[in-house]
Amino acid sequence: MFEATFIRYAARNRNGLGSFRLEIEIFETAGDEEYLRNLAAYIVIQPTKDGKGILPFDYEWGSGSLYFRSGRIPLVWLCGEDGTIHTPIRFGLMSLDAKREIIHSRSYTIPANWSVCNGIVLPTNYVNVPMFENIFKSHNRYRVFLSNNSARDAEIMKRMAYERGVILDDLEAREKCSTECKALYGIRDPRRLVSSDRIALAQVLRRKDRMTIRQIAKLIRLPESEVARYVS
């Protein structure tokens, strides 16, 4: 839903998409408690590590304002440009035009009891704050993990690269695909395979060479969405 809505929004505001591409990947998190703490901290601090002069809990496009905060401190999304603290409004109480302005869609909607403020659907509506905080157990442990650590960052990046897969040179990727196709089915051209055999070939390429879903889909000539259903 988000992909479809945002692409239409981008097309309207860019006078067409041109070379614009939207790539969203979602991976289920797995690992021990230490890894989960590293990952959770990485998510919070990463947006402010590229030179932005701001701390995570003041960054409105991250979720740092949500965690281990005193109830006396207003969330960053409630603060106006002049420092005024605004009161959220329930989405269901907004006018039809205001709703469309918020979600940029005539087709989709969000729950009527969700809160909106300063033109933003508040993350408090959909982020499981208690679950996140339970990963760290205490304010102090959270503080420790927020400190930058190159070894922890390297581990996160390694895991992300593994999940995303490796983009090989086109010639190398085609050769690997042809070789595996020959080994499995006696022919080198995957276009001659039925769909089920192409999917089986895709699973082999993903398992052995960690190719990305997109590159595999291109090699076996199947839609990326179809490959993603059967290849993890």
Side-chain angles (χ1 to χ4, degrees), residues 213 217 222-230:
I213 299 297
L222 283 178
E224 186 176 339
S225 59
E226 188 70 10
V227 175
R229 287 179 58 193
Y230 300 101

Side-chain angles (χ1 to χ4, degrees), residues 1 91-92 94 99 102-103 108-116 121-122 125:
M1 182 186 76
F91 184 76
M94 300 174 67
K99 290 178 180 178
I102 289 291
I103 59 177
Y108 300 113
T109 188
I110 59 176
N113 64 337
W114 279 20
S115 298
V116 176
V121 179
L122 297 179
N125 296 300

